[in-house]
Amino acid sequence: MPKHSIRRVTAVAALACLTAAGPAVAGPVPGAPAPGAPVPGAPVPGATTSPTSPAVPASRFVPGACPQPPEPIEALSDARCGVLEVPENRTRPGGRTIGLAVAVIPALTPAKPAKEPVVFMAGGPGADAFDDIPFLVDSGLNKDRELIVMGQRGNLYDRPNLACPEVDRFNAQAVGLGYDAKQAEALLLKAVKECRGRLTSQGVDLGAYNTTENAADFADLRKALGIPLWNVYGYSYGSDLALTYLRRHPEGIRAVAVDSVAPPRYATLPWTWSSVAEGIDNIFEACAAQPACKDRYPDLRRTLTEQVRRLEARPLTLNVPPPGGGKPVRVVLDGGALLNLIVAFTPRPKDLPAALTELADGNPERFAQARAAGSVQNTGVFAHGLTNSVACAEWAPGYSQTDVRDAGREAFPGWPDTVLAQAPQLPFQYPVCRVWNVPDRASVQRVATASSVPVLLVSGTFDVKTGAGWAKEAARSLPRSTTVQVPGIGHWVVPQSPCAQRVLASFLDRPTAPPDTGCVDGLEPQPFTIIPE
C-alpha cells in the first residue's frame, strides 16, 4: 500500500488533533534538521526592522531547496521552496529568529490560474504539514490556484524542530502498559522532562510556540511573499489556528475554509469528551438506521460500556504482531486503551460495531492489533513540543483533572473514573503541563472569532475528535458562514469525501455566493461490516 493513499487519511487524522503519537515506520527522516537543532541567535543579517518595535527583526522569505521526505512527494518536484525567518518571540525585542519551511506548489492549470492562492494550516498541533501535501493535491486544492504550505513553528523541517524522540520511544513502550497505569505516567513524565531539558538547553523559548505566534507567522508569510489576497484552509488544530488568524490578522484574507472544527473559544481538555460522545453516538445511530446493522448489533451503547468496564477491571495482556507484520509485541488492552483506539479511528467507524461485538464474544484481535501498531513509531517526526506548548498554555488552564473527569461522566455515565479522568488522546496532560511549565494564554486564545469574511465550516458526522456540532458554535459569530455536515465521514473530511471536495471548490470559486452543497443531500454512510453470528 503506497504511503500517500486515501486509506492513510485515517492514520493521518489520528495525529490531527489532541494526540501525540501514531503508528509509522521507525527511523530518522532524511532532509530534516535534528530535533531541537540550534538556530541563529542574532537578528537575520540584512533583514529590516519592525517600525513598531525597532529591536525586533522583520520577517523575510529566503528561497531555498524543498524538503526531501523519505517517501518522495511529487508535487514538490516543481514547487518553489524556502524558509520564512521570523522572530521566535515577538514580545521580546532583540530575541533570536527561527526558520519555517515553506513550499509554493503551482496550479495544475498554469495557463490561467486563479490569482488568489490557498494557504494550508495543518492539524496537530505538531503534525508535519508537508506529509499532507499528497492529500491536498488529490483533493484538488491546487487544481486552478497555487497551494502554499508552511510548517507551523517547531515542525519537522523547521529550525528548531520541537520533536521529542523521548516521547516517541515512550509511546512505543506504552502499548505494553495500562493506559492509565502509574508506571505509564511515570515513564511519560520522564520522557517529557528529558525533551524539555534538551530543548531549553538549546535556547528554545517554549512559551513562544503558541497559536498567537503561529497566526502571526502566517500573516508575515503573506506579506513576505507579496500576496495581496489569499484563501485559508485549515483542518483540526489548523481550524483553531485559521480562526485565530482571521480574528487577529484579517487583512488580506479573501475566504476561510475550516475542516473538522475546533473553535478557539471552546478548545479545552474537558471539551474533548463531548466530541467523543457526539461522534460515537452518530456512528451507533447510523448503524441503527441500517436494518442489517441494527439486527446484528442491536445495543452498541451497552456493548461499549460493558467492554470498557470489563477491560478496565480485568485488562487483557496479549502477544500480537503489528499490522504490518513482524515479531509479536506485548500489548495491554484495558478500558482506556479501548476508548482511545476508537478515538484514533482504529478500527475504522464502518468496522467498529463488528469489532466491539467480536470483543464481547471473546475475540479482541482487531483492537489488539490496533494497539500493537503503536509499538512502531516514526521517531523524531511529530513535534510533541509544539503539542505540549499549545495544550499547556491554551487548553489546560482554568480546568483540572477533576473537570475532565466530570465532563467524561456527563458524556459516558457509568464508565470507570480511571478512564474518564484522562482527556482522550492526551493522557496525564495536567502532570505533563506541570513539567512543561509554559505561561497561561487561555484569556488570549479562548475568544470567539467574529468576522464578515466568508467562511465555510465542514464537519464529518463520524468525527470523534472534533464533534460535528461544534462547527455551528463557531458559526454563531460568523454572519457570512456556511456549515456543512458530511454523513459517515470521520476526522479531516475533504480528502475522504469527493462531495466535500466539490463543496470546497465551489466555495473558493465564489466565496461571496452560497456554495453548491447539492451533493450532500441524500448522502448516507457506507454499509457497516456485518460478521456472521
Side-chain angles (χ1 to χ4, degrees):
M1 177 63 63
K3 179 181 179 185
H4 299 297
S5 67
I6 196 66
R7 286 190 61 188
R8 191 171 166 272
V9 171
T10 297
V12 172
L15 293 172
C17 184
L18 307 182
T19 184
V25 177
V29 176
V39 300
V44 179
T48 58
T49 57
S50 165
T52 57
S53 188
V56 178
S59 302
R60 69 171 187 173
F61 178 73
V62 180
C66 292
Q68 298 180 4
E71 181 77 14
I73 296 174
E74 184 179 354
L76 290 178
S77 61
D78 56 356
R80 293 183 290 114
C81 295
V83 172
L84 180 71
E85 295 178 334
V86 298
E88 183 178 47
N89 189 331
R90 291 173 172 85
T91 68
R92 294 185 178 178
R96 69 179 187 175
T97 59
I98 61 176
L100 312 181
V102 178
V104 180
I105 299 168
L108 294 177
T109 53
K112 194 177 180 181
K115 61 182 179 180
E116 303 94 357
V118 57
V119 64
F120 172 64
M121 297 181 176
D128 169 25
F130 285 79
D131 198 44
D132 291 338
I133 290 174
F135 302 113
L136 301 172
V137 171
D138 289 347
S139 299
L141 266 295
N142 70 322
K143 181 180 178 181
D144 56 3
R145 64 184 72 241
E146 287 185 331
L147 169 64
I148 301 172
V149 176
M150 180 170 73
Q152 295 160 23
R153 51 177 49 209
N155 271 203
L156 177 60
Y157 300 105
D158 296 342
R159 307 188 315 267
N161 170 11
L162 266 60
C164 291
E166 304 89 344
V167 174
D168 294 324
R169 289 190 286 269
F170 160 77
N171 286 329
Q173 184 180 1
V175 302
L177 305 172
Y179 188 82
D180 58 338
K182 288 295 183 183
Q183 184 183 6
E185 179 179 8
L187 290 172
L188 174 59
L189 295 182
K190 180 177 182 290
V192 169
K193 184 177 180 180
E194 290 174 354
C195 180
R196 187 186 196 282
R198 177 175 51 76
L199 292 175
T200 55
S201 71
Q202 294 166 354
V204 176
D205 179 2
L206 296 176
Y209 292 79
N210 57 61
T211 306
T212 299
E213 293 282 7
N214 269 337
D217 294 340
F218 279 92
D220 284 354
L221 176 64
R222 183 185 65 82
K223 296 173 185 175
L225 294 180
I227 298 172
L229 203 63
W230 67 6
N231 306 285
V232 178
Y233 170 61
Y235 85 97
S236 195
Y237 169 71
S239 71
D240 185 335
L241 174 56
L243 292 172
T244 301
Y245 172 56
L246 175 60
R247 173 170 62 87
R248 298 183 67 94
H249 305 278
E251 60 278 1
I253 300 177
R254 175 177 177 259
V256 174
V258 287
D259 181 331
S260 305
V261 185
R265 182 179 178 184
Y266 299 104
T268 64
L269 296 185
W271 166 79
T272 58
W273 279 115
S274 63
S275 288
V276 172
E278 181 182 1
I280 289 177
D281 282 348
N282 285 344
I283 294 169
F284 290 172
E285 288 171 6
C287 174
Q290 295 180 12
C293 194
K294 180 180 180 180
D295 291 345
R296 182 65 183 91
Y297 317 115
D299 197 344
L300 287 169
R301 288 181 179 84
R302 184 179 69 179
T303 301
L304 175 60
T305 296
E306 288 176 348
Q307 296 313 302
V308 168
R309 296 177 66 176
R310 179 178 67 86
L311 289 174
E312 193 67 2
R314 295 182 298 279
L316 295 175
T317 301
L318 306 158
N319 288 314
V320 185
K327 184 178 179 181
V329 297
R330 179 182 185 270
V331 301
V332 173
L333 190 59
D334 59 11
L338 174 63
L339 183 277
N340 280 272
L341 289 170
I342 294 171
V343 176
F345 301 99
T346 50
R348 292 176 294 171
K350 69 183 290 287
D351 298 322
L352 179 58
L356 285 172
T357 301
E358 289 172 342
L359 180 64
D361 291 341
N363 177 9
E365 181 178 357
R366 293 188 201 241
F367 287 111
Q369 276 215 334
R371 182 83 162 136
S375 68
V376 183
Q377 294 287 320
N378 207 348
T379 304
V381 172
F382 194 85
H384 298 285
L386 178 58
T387 304
N388 284 331
S389 286
V390 171
C392 296
E394 300 171 13
W395 301 343
Y399 296 96
S400 67
Q401 197 156 350
T402 299
D403 295 317
V404 172
R405 181 206 63 196
D406 291 346
R409 285 176 174 175
E410 183 176 349
F412 296 101
W415 282 27
D417 281 352
T418 49
V419 175
L420 302 177
Q422 306 299 336
Q425 300 286 285
L426 289 169
F428 311 114
Q429 192 61 50
Y430 283 102
V432 165
C433 288
R434 286 193 289 272
V435 172
W436 204 250
N437 190 26
V438 290
D440 180 341
R441 298 188 56 80
S443 62
V444 175
Q445 182 60 22
R446 291 182 201 155
V447 181
T449 299
S451 174
S452 59
V453 170
V455 178
L456 174 68
L457 304 103
V458 180
S459 302
T461 60
F462 285 4
D463 192 346
V464 292
K465 290 177 177 288
T466 54
W470 289 104
K472 294 180 180 179
E473 294 299 323
R476 292 183 186 278
S477 55
L478 301 168
R480 300 177 69 189
S481 63
T482 301
T483 302
V484 176
Q485 289 192 8
V486 181
I489 301 295
H491 203 62
W492 198 11
V493 179
V494 166
Q496 301 180 74
S497 169
C499 175
Q501 294 166 20
R502 292 195 291 272
V503 173
L504 177 59
S506 168
F507 173 72
L508 293 178
D509 283 345
R510 295 184 60 197
T512 58
D516 183 1
T517 60
C519 63
V520 179
D521 298 335
L523 278 182
E524 294 182 357
Q526 61 180 302
F528 288 87
T529 299
I530 306 298
I531 56 176
E533 295 196 47

PDB file of all heavy atoms in Angstrom, residues 4 16 23 92 105 133 184 192 203 239 270 368 444:
ATOM      1  N   HIS A   4       1.165   7.422   0.644  1.00  0.00           N
ATOM      2  CA  HIS A   4       0.212   8.515   0.494  1.00  0.00           C
ATOM      3  C   HIS A   4      -1.027   7.995  -0.237  1.00  0.00           C
ATOM      4  O   HIS A   4      -1.169   8.142  -1.446  1.00  0.00           O
ATOM      5  CB  HIS A   4       0.839   9.682  -0.261  1.00  0.00           C
ATOM      6  CG  HIS A   4       2.021  10.255   0.442  1.00  0.00           C
ATOM      7  ND1 HIS A   4       1.937  10.833   1.677  1.00  0.00           N
ATOM      8  CD2 HIS A   4       3.330  10.312   0.083  1.00  0.00           C
ATOM      9  CE1 HIS A   4       3.127  11.253   2.044  1.00  0.00           C
ATOM     10  NE2 HIS A   4       3.987  10.946   1.103  1.00  0.00           N
ATOM     11  N   ALA A  16      -4.204  14.332  14.099  1.00  0.00           N
ATOM     12  CA  ALA A  16      -4.601  15.661  13.688  1.00  0.00           C
ATOM     13  C   ALA A  16      -4.977  16.584  14.818  1.00  0.00           C
ATOM     14  O   ALA A  16      -4.845  17.786  14.680  1.00  0.00           O
ATOM     15  CB  ALA A  16      -5.759  15.579  12.705  1.00  0.00           C
ATOM     16  N   PRO A  23       1.140   5.153  14.636  1.00  0.00           N
ATOM     17  CA  PRO A  23       1.993   4.132  14.054  1.00  0.00           C
ATOM     18  C   PRO A  23       2.594   4.579  12.736  1.00  0.00           C
ATOM     19  O   PRO A  23       1.958   5.239  11.936  1.00  0.00           O
ATOM     20  CB  PRO A  23       1.023   2.965  13.831  1.00  0.00           C
ATOM     21  CG  PRO A  23      -0.308   3.607  13.716  1.00  0.00           C
ATOM     22  CD  PRO A  23      -0.263   4.805  14.610  1.00  0.00           C
ATOM     23  N   ARG A  92       9.628  39.889  22.725  1.00  0.00           N
ATOM     24  CA  ARG A  92      10.960  40.051  23.303  1.00  0.00           C
ATOM     25  C   ARG A  92      11.906  40.675  22.282  1.00  0.00           C
ATOM     26  O   ARG A  92      12.526  39.969  21.484  1.00  0.00           O
ATOM     27  CB  ARG A  92      11.507  38.711  23.782  1.00  0.00           C
ATOM     28  CG  ARG A  92      10.728  38.117  24.951  1.00  0.00           C
ATOM     29  CD  ARG A  92      11.377  36.848  25.468  1.00  0.00           C
ATOM     30  NE  ARG A  92      10.647  36.320  26.605  1.00  0.00           N
ATOM     31  CZ  ARG A  92      10.962  35.187  27.237  1.00  0.00           C
ATOM     32  NH1 ARG A  92      12.003  34.471  26.817  1.00  0.00           N
ATOM     33  NH2 ARG A  92      10.259  34.765  28.276  1.00  0.00           N
ATOM     34  N   ILE A 105       3.301  25.466  -4.254  1.00  0.00           N
ATOM     35  CA  ILE A 105       3.048  24.426  -5.254  1.00  0.00           C
ATOM     36  C   ILE A 105       2.211  25.033  -6.373  1.00  0.00           C
ATOM     37  O   ILE A 105       1.149  25.617  -6.123  1.00  0.00           O
ATOM     38  CB  ILE A 105       2.312  23.236  -4.604  1.00  0.00           C
ATOM     39  CG1 ILE A 105       3.212  22.640  -3.500  1.00  0.00           C
ATOM     40  CG2 ILE A 105       1.953  22.175  -5.629  1.00  0.00           C
ATOM     41  CD1 ILE A 105       2.502  21.674  -2.601  1.00  0.00           C
ATOM     42  N   ILE A 133       0.663  17.085   1.887  1.00  0.00           N
ATOM     43  CA  ILE A 133       0.580  17.635   0.531  1.00  0.00           C
ATOM     44  C   ILE A 133      -0.102  16.678  -0.452  1.00  0.00           C
ATOM     45  O   ILE A 133      -0.968  17.104  -1.241  1.00  0.00           O
ATOM     46  CB  ILE A 133       1.974  18.062   0.033  1.00  0.00           C
ATOM     47  CG1 ILE A 133       2.433  19.303   0.803  1.00  0.00           C
ATOM     48  CG2 ILE A 133       1.959  18.337  -1.472  1.00  0.00           C
ATOM     49  CD1 ILE A 133       3.867  19.727   0.505  1.00  0.00           C
ATOM     50  N   ALA A 184       2.972   3.978  33.477  1.00  0.00           N
ATOM     51  CA  ALA A 184       2.885   4.734  32.226  1.00  0.00           C
ATOM     52  C   ALA A 184       3.041   6.226  32.494  1.00  0.00           C
ATOM     53  O   ALA A 184       3.749   6.933  31.761  1.00  0.00           O
ATOM     54  CB  ALA A 184       1.559   4.450  31.531  1.00  0.00           C
ATOM     55  N   VAL A 192       8.969  13.463  28.922  1.00  0.00           N
ATOM     56  CA  VAL A 192       8.647  14.881  28.715  1.00  0.00           C
ATOM     57  C   VAL A 192       9.714  15.760  29.370  1.00  0.00           C
ATOM     58  O   VAL A 192      10.159  16.763  28.783  1.00  0.00           O
ATOM     59  CB  VAL A 192       7.245  15.195  29.278  1.00  0.00           C
ATOM     60  CG1 VAL A 192       6.996  16.692  29.311  1.00  0.00           C
ATOM     61  CG2 VAL A 192       6.174  14.505  28.435  1.00  0.00           C
ATOM     62  N   GLY A 203      18.295  26.661  24.017  1.00  0.00           N
ATOM     63  CA  GLY A 203      17.816  28.030  23.925  1.00  0.00           C
ATOM     64  C   GLY A 203      16.409  28.195  23.410  1.00  0.00           C
ATOM     65  O   GLY A 203      15.983  29.327  23.144  1.00  0.00           O
ATOM     66  N   SER A 239      -7.864  24.392  12.103  1.00  0.00           N
ATOM     67  CA  SER A 239      -9.075  25.216  12.116  1.00  0.00           C
ATOM     68  C   SER A 239      -9.030  26.200  13.282  1.00  0.00           C
ATOM     69  O   SER A 239      -9.453  27.352  13.151  1.00  0.00           O
ATOM     70  CB  SER A 239     -10.322  24.328  12.206  1.00  0.00           C
ATOM     71  OG  SER A 239     -10.461  23.724  13.487  1.00  0.00           O
ATOM     72  N   PRO A 270     -11.478  19.439  28.904  1.00  0.00           N
ATOM     73  CA  PRO A 270     -12.793  18.819  29.128  1.00  0.00           C
ATOM     74  C   PRO A 270     -13.643  18.730  27.860  1.00  0.00           C
ATOM     75  O   PRO A 270     -14.448  17.802  27.714  1.00  0.00           O
ATOM     76  CB  PRO A 270     -13.440  19.744  30.172  1.00  0.00           C
ATOM     77  CG  PRO A 270     -12.298  20.382  30.883  1.00  0.00           C
ATOM     78  CD  PRO A 270     -11.243  20.566  29.830  1.00  0.00           C
ATOM     79  N   ALA A 368      -6.610  -5.479  19.552  1.00  0.00           N
ATOM     80  CA  ALA A 368      -5.253  -5.831  19.981  1.00  0.00           C
ATOM     81  C   ALA A 368      -4.234  -5.488  18.889  1.00  0.00           C
ATOM     82  O   ALA A 368      -3.150  -4.967  19.178  1.00  0.00           O
ATOM     83  CB  ALA A 368      -5.187  -7.310  20.334  1.00  0.00           C
ATOM     84  N   VAL A 444      -6.099  34.925  26.214  1.00  0.00           N
ATOM     85  CA  VAL A 444      -5.750  35.457  24.894  1.00  0.00           C
ATOM     86  C   VAL A 444      -6.362  34.609  23.787  1.00  0.00           C
ATOM     87  O   VAL A 444      -6.802  35.134  22.759  1.00  0.00           O
ATOM     88  CB  VAL A 444      -4.212  35.502  24.743  1.00  0.00           C
ATOM     89  CG1 VAL A 444      -3.813  35.936  23.337  1.00  0.00           C
ATOM     90  CG2 VAL A 444      -3.604  36.425  25.779  1.00  0.00           C
TER      91      VAL A 444
END
